[in-house]
């Protein structure tokens, strides 16, 4: 503790104190700017991610793409079941 008191009392006196204060102020502002920049980049990345992977609904038909895909799969499954009983060239 005495070292800290001696450092500030004896070493940082006069113009050196002013220089140290200015440099520390610049460093503190730079650190705050860096943290703010990272926060804004992270927030923008989250918004971009949310905007990219949003489920879009088909407003004209009122059916979402996921439901439309499920209907297409259900329509093709009966066709696959009908052809399942027929022998293929490999089985002949």
């Amino acid at each position: 503790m005495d070292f800290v008191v001696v450092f500030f009392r004896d070493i940082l006196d006069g113009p050196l104190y002013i220089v140290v204060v200015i440099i520390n102020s610049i460093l503190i502002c730079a650190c705050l700017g860096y943290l703010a920049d990272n926060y804004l980049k992270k927030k923008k990345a989250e918004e971009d991610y949310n905007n990219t992977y949003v489920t879009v609904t088909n407003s004209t038909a009122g059916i979402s793409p996921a439901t439309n895909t499920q209907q297409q799969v259900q329509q093709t499954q009966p066709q696959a079941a009908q052809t399942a009983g027929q022998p293929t060239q490999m089985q002949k």
Side-chain angles (χ1 to χ4, degrees):
M1 186 68 183
D2 291 334
F3 175 74
V4 174
V5 172
V6 169
F7 178 76
F8 282 104
R9 185 185 62 205
D10 297 335
I11 297 175
L12 290 181
D13 59 347
L16 184 60
Y17 177 76
I18 295 171
V19 170
V20 170
V21 167
I22 291 172
I23 291 173
N24 285 337
S25 299
I26 292 171
L27 290 175
I28 289 172
C29 290
C31 290
L32 291 176
Y34 175 76
L35 292 174
D37 190 41
N38 278 346
Y39 174 75
L40 292 176
K41 284 182 182 178
K42 183 178 177 183
K43 189 173 180 181
K44 184 172 179 4
E46 286 177 1
E47 288 177 8
D48 289 345
Y49 179 80
N50 290 338
N51 290 338
T52 304
Y53 296 103
V54 172
T55 303
V56 179
T57 59
N58 188 352
S59 61
T60 58
I63 300 172
S64 69
T67 307
N68 193 14
T69 305
Q70 290 172 352
Q71 289 175 351
Q72 289 175 355
V73 170
Q74 290 172 355
Q75 289 173 359
T76 58
Q77 284 178 350
Q79 294 172 356
Q82 291 172 358
T83 59
Q86 299 174 356
T88 60
Q89 286 184 340
M90 298 290 283
Q91 292 175 347
K92 287 184 182 178

